[in-house]
Every structure is written in C-alpha cells, then in structure tokens.
Amino acid sequence: MDYEAGRAIQEGHTYLGIKLGSSKISATLIDLDYNVIASGAQSWESRLEDGVWIYDLDDMWADLEVCFARLCTDVLSRYGLPLTTTGCIGVSATMNGYLPCNRDGHRLTPFRTWRNTNTEEAAGRLSEAFGLNIPQRWSVTHLYQAILNGETHIYELARLNTLAGYVHERLTGHSVLGICDASGMFPVDGQTYDAKMLETFDALVAPHNMDWKLSDLLPRVLTAGEAAGSLTPEGARLLDLKGNLQPGIPFCPPEGDLGTGMVAANSVAERMGNLSAGTSLYASVVLERPLSVSRPEIDIVATPDGKPAAVIHCNNCTADLDAWISLFHEVIEITGATVSPAALYNAFYQKALEDGADDGGLLSYNYVSGEPMTGVNRGRPLLARLPDSRLTLPAFARTILYSTVATLRLGMDALAAGQVRVDRMTGHGGLFKTGETGQRLSATALNLPVTILSTAPGDAWGAALLAAYHSQKIAGETLEDFLSQRVFANISSKCLSPDPKDVRSFSAYMERFKNGLPLARSAAEHIR
C-alpha cells in the first residue's frame, strides 16, 4: 500500500471529481498534490427516441452507482481501505440541453441533450431579441421552443436545470450552478444571469400566460471557489449502495464539461484556448476584449471564474469515426483474426498520416446528429466520391479524420475574422489519445500550434481540481493563479506546429467540403 495515499484517503485529504460525459461516466480521486490516486468509470450512451436525442436518467443513476462502486473497488484494491469521505466533491456533465421539473422535483420530459437541432425557430427569435447569438442547444432555447410548440408541460414548470446541476441538487439539496454551466443555459454578465435579457425573455413569452418568470426557474449562479452545499444522507445513498460514504462532504459548484475542460487544460487566462475532441468538438478562447459584433458561429460563455470566453461548438467529432472502426473490427473478426480496438485505431491513424497520403478526392460529412454550424438539421453521415477518386485505405482514413475537424475550421475562421487572438491552444479528449495523430490533425485544422499536457487525466480531474480549489484557496488567490502556480507548475507539455504540407492538403479538402454542404443539407431533408 502507498502509505501517504492511504493516509490521505483515511483522513479525507482527497478530492473527488465526477464527470458525466457524452459516452462515459467517470470518477477521479486526487490527493493534496493533485495526483490521481484512484478512478472508476462506466459507459453510457444517449439515444434517439422519437426524433429527439435523450439520456435516460434512471439509467444514469444506475450507471453512476456502478462508476462509484468501481472507484471504491479501486481504492480498496490499491490501499486496502473503504472510501468513506473526501475533502470536497465536484460534479461535471455535458452542458446545455433541457431538463424541466415541477415543484415536486419530478421531470416533466426526458432530458433533451445538446445534440438536438429541432430548436432553430427559437434560436433565431431569441438571437434577434437579445442581439446575441443564442445557440440551438442552450437551455433557454429548448424552453422557448417548447413554448412555441405549445407543449403543455410548460404550465407545470417550476425548475430548469442542466445535467450537472440536476445531479448536484439530488446529492446536496441545493439548486445552484457554476457560472460556466449557467452561461450555457442563459446569457450571464460575469456574475449572474443578464438582468436585461431576463426581462426581454419574460416580455417575449408574456402572451402565453405562464405563472412563472424565468429567473424563478433557473439555478442560483456561483463562481469557482464558492460553497455549494454538502452531501446529504439521501445523496450518499444515491452514490454508494454499500453505505460506506458518509454525509456532510462539502461540494464545489457543479460545472459543465466546457468549464472542467478549461480547468484540466489550464486555459482560464485571457488568450488561452482549450480544444476538446470527443463525441462532440469545441474550441474555447478566453477573451481579452468583447467581440465587436455577434456572429452565429460563436457562442459567448464564461470561464468557471466568470471571464468571458468565445466558443466554437460542433455537435459531431468522433462518433462517425468510431462507427467505421467498429465496422472494420467486425470484418477482421469474420476472418478469424483478432485485433484490439486500440491497435485498430492506431493502425488507422497511422495509415492516414503515411508520407505522400492525401484524401484521394473523397468527401465525408460525419454528421451523426444535426450540425447547426453548417445548417444541417438532422444527422445523416455521408461518404461521397467522384468516379475517378482514389478509394484507397490511406485516402479513406485521411478523409474520415479530416471530417472530424472540418466543421471546427469554419468556426475558427469566424473567430479569426472577429480578431480573437490565441496565445496557446491546449488539446484533450478522445482524439488525442492515440499518439500525436490528433495533435497533428488539430494543429492542421486550426493552422495553429497545439499543446498537449503530459498529465491531463480528463474532465473528471478538472472537476476534482475545482473541488481542491474550493478547499485549498487562500485569500485573494484566483483560479488562474491556483492552476498556474500550484497545479501545473511542474507539469510538462509538448507543442506541435502545423506542417505546411498538411495545411495545404487540408485547405484543398475544405474547399471540397464547403462546396458540398448543399449535399449534406439535402440528405437531411430527403434521406428518411
């Protein structure tokens, strides 16, 4: 047993981060020096039900219990101790979406996720009314679309939340939300929801005669480091079926995956960028000055400590790639051969980056779900080629990888047009877990150097770091100072600049990609 880690666990000198991601629930336990000392995970998935992307929250609780049980098993096997307490807990989850409840806390609809693109009318009307881009996936957009659709549940509505806020409330009894996650529900002013825009929304929906105001529905906004309640006996039983976990553990404000990604990438300072590439894809840049004009490609949110940040969000990244890899794995299996998924991903990535490889004139749209960035309202993954295109494995692999980041490039062009400056872009997520391929690919797409940290275990670690900041911060210490001077002071990194040959190849692909967008939009309309 590691004596120091065992003693920290026994005395509660640890911090726990819980992350409910797009395809996995993770739990990470760290020590006072921010090292991971135990972890647990459980897969889960959203599903398309009646044309709507949802998460089943009953399944979520069951999967969260499995995840926590695996964390406890890891603690027991490593240190011979049960996990009974910790210094602070932080909850993180995928942002945005629609989770309405009545006065008794009962859900009024299934949880509608960020993947949905059936809120175009509401997004357009709200963006015009606010003079600010309001994305389709934001909670207020889902709410307004439900009102426009005449859904009857809006008259029973008493609470609106995100997934992180909902889980936090069930565990602590407190309806609060970190400001980054809150800024994906409704615009914020750096401290709380924008008061003028709240009034505008209430006036906009007044003809529908609801007996609530929007401010009554939303969780209270907190910034990093503030107290956000403690684990109740009921919450402890929700997490730990064995009953070892003790109530009373403090919580930091719950945050979205964007906020914990910023923290895990040490990207909360001005002109710092954070690139997360997994099921979805986003790039965030902390702003040094407000944008001069609102642009439909750019969301304005907040860092966990309230600074304004510009975000390019793409609904689709690796899901189509994963489907192709699964197909190849099936083909290999029917031949009687065996290969691990990790080895198959590695081989596919390396084939894409062979010297002299190009995309062969192929074209791919990886749109498993709709993609508002390009005006595609339903998921229709496509692969297209001309009769004389080269359908070789290197060309195919490169095309599929290009498709994971092509939409991001369109958003980054909008950031450049808005004169947003980036000093450093740090990448993390599934696309970066196979050698340097993801780093090279993202540097090519952004036409910027991309940094990968040597130690960045993911967003659950980011949630644990926010829990540590809540417990360890000293008077006057900012989140930026805490991360740069304490957490990341001794963490090394590797920066990779774009290769001019790759940039030229990708630029040629992007011209084909932009010219073919009418095909992707038409497929969404005509392939049923």
Side-chain angles (χ1 to χ4, degrees):
M1 181 182 84
D2 182 324
Y3 176 77
E4 290 301 325
R7 183 176 177 182
I9 290 167
Q10 216 164 19
E11 297 177 356
H13 294 156
T14 60
Y15 307 104
L16 173 62
I18 296 171
K19 160 72 185 301
L20 295 96
S22 298
S23 59
K24 184 173 68 174
I25 301 176
S26 307
T28 296
L29 191 69
I30 65 174
D31 62 18
L32 294 177
D33 295 319
Y34 324 113
N35 301 305
V36 177
I37 56 176
S39 61
Q42 166 70 359
S43 296
W44 79 319
E45 293 285 350
S46 60
R47 67 172 184 259
L48 191 61
E49 188 173 280
D50 298 326
V52 178
W53 287 100
I54 69 164
Y55 280 113
D56 187 306
L57 296 191
D58 292 330
D59 289 347
M60 179 274 292
W61 284 114
D63 289 335
L64 180 56
E65 289 165 358
V66 171
C67 171
F68 187 80
R70 288 176 175 168
L71 169 72
C72 293
T73 298
D74 193 33
V75 170
L76 188 63
S77 64
R78 286 173 184 251
Y79 311 107
L81 297 167
L83 182 62
T84 61
T85 190
T86 183
C88 186
I89 299 175
V91 175
S92 171
T94 56
M95 288 180 68
N96 316 128
Y98 187 59
L99 214 169
C101 294
N102 64 14
R103 293 187 185 280
D104 297 324
H106 297 305
R107 298 190 305 273
L108 298 175
T109 73
F111 172 45
R112 301 170 184 175
T113 81
W114 52 269
R115 266 186 160 177
N116 289 294
T117 52
N118 56 353
T119 57
E120 184 176 7
E121 180 185 4
R125 290 196 189 189
L126 290 174
S127 297
E128 182 178 0
F130 293 167
L132 179 72
N133 177 44
I134 305 297
Q136 290 197 43
R137 65 185 185 282
W138 279 20
S139 304
V140 67
T141 316
H142 281 273
L143 171 60
Y144 190 38
Q145 191 66 57
I147 293 171
L148 295 176
N149 292 345
E151 298 186 42
T152 56
H153 76 267
I154 60 172
Y155 296 100
E156 301 178 59
L157 191 57
R159 303 180 196 171
L160 192 61
N161 220 327
T162 65
L163 182 57
Y166 173 79
V167 171
H168 179 95
E169 184 173 1
R170 290 289 304 274
L171 296 178
T172 68
H174 288 259
S175 180
V176 298
L177 204 57
I179 192 167
C180 181
D181 208 8
S183 69
M185 294 191 78
F186 192 85
V188 298
D189 60 9
Q191 294 181 319
T192 188
Y193 306 109
D194 186 286
K196 185 176 180 181
M197 292 186 190
L198 284 172
E199 291 177 3
T200 299
F201 182 86
D202 288 336
L204 199 62
V205 302
H208 297 275
N209 298 315
M210 263 75 67
D211 62 356
W212 47 258
K213 291 186 179 297
L214 184 56
S215 58
D216 300 330
L217 308 181
L218 298 172
R220 184 165 59 91
V221 179
L222 300 174
T223 55
E226 292 191 85
S230 58
L231 186 66
T232 63
E234 297 79 11
R237 288 193 293 271
L238 272 176
L239 275 182
D240 182 15
L241 294 180
K242 290 187 176 180
N244 291 322
L245 191 66
Q246 299 302 303
I249 299 169
F251 275 66
C252 66
E255 269 298 0
D257 52 353
L258 173 60
T260 49
M262 290 176 177
V263 170
N266 190 22
S267 298
V268 299
E270 292 178 357
R271 295 170 59 168
M272 293 292 106
N274 167 40
L275 177 63
S276 175
T279 304
S280 63
L281 175 66
Y282 67 76
S284 67
V285 180
V286 183
L287 297 173
E288 58 184 335
R289 65 177 67 88
L291 290 180
S292 57
V293 63
S294 175
R295 297 186 63 104
E297 305 94 340
I298 303 172
D299 310 346
I300 301 299
V301 298
T303 65
D305 53 348
K307 298 187 188 78
V311 174
I312 303 300
H313 182 278
C314 308
N315 274 7
N316 299 276
C317 184
T318 60
D320 188 49
L321 164 65
D322 294 340
W324 283 112
I325 295 294
S326 179
L327 175 66
F328 292 146
H329 194 265
E330 189 175 347
V331 171
I332 290 169
E333 283 187 329
I334 65 173
T335 69
T338 58
V339 62
S340 71
L344 190 52
Y345 273 101
N346 272 316
F348 189 82
Y349 280 30
Q350 290 307 311
K351 209 67 181 173
L353 298 183
E354 279 186 351
D355 287 341
D358 61 24
D359 56 58
L362 307 177
L363 178 61
S364 173
Y365 294 97
N366 65 332
Y367 296 164
V368 173
S369 61
E371 188 55 76
M373 183 72 70
T374 52
V376 177
N377 58 16
R378 295 183 185 87
R380 298 293 186 270
L382 293 175
L383 177 68
R385 61 190 176 103
L386 295 171
D388 59 349
S389 297
R390 294 187 307 282
L391 188 56
T392 64
L393 183 56
F396 174 80
R398 182 166 287 217
T399 297
I400 295 301
L401 287 180
Y402 277 175
S403 76
T404 63
V405 293
T407 307
L408 175 69
R409 176 59 177 268
L410 301 178
M412 294 303 294
D413 288 344
L415 275 185
Q419 298 183 324
V420 174
R421 293 189 288 178
V422 187
D423 286 343
R424 188 194 71 209
M425 183 67 73
T426 301
H428 62 101
L431 196 64
F432 298 98
K433 292 181 179 178
T434 309
E436 70 172 31
T437 306
Q439 189 177 10
R440 177 175 165 183
L441 180 68
S442 57
T444 298
L446 301 178
N447 200 15
L448 289 170
V450 172
T451 297
I452 302 295
L453 300 172
S454 61
T455 304
D459 291 353
W461 185 58
L465 292 180
L466 285 173
Y469 176 62
H470 169 270
S471 294
Q472 292 186 359
K473 69 182 177 72
I474 57 179
E477 184 180 38
T478 65
L479 178 62
E480 180 183 337
D481 291 340
F482 172 78
L483 293 174
S484 62
Q485 296 172 17
R486 293 214 234 174
V487 179
F488 291 92
N490 298 311
I491 292 179
S492 61
S493 63
K494 177 183 178 182
C495 183
L496 188 67
S497 295
D499 184 313
K501 290 186 297 183
D502 289 342
V503 172
R504 287 193 296 271
S505 173
F506 185 73
S507 295
Y509 178 82
M510 283 303 302
E511 286 304 308
R512 194 180 316 123
F513 183 87
K514 288 185 281 189
N515 290 336
L517 278 170
L519 171 66
R521 297 178 186 125
S522 179
E525 294 299 323
H526 297 293
I527 299 177
R528 301 283 183 170

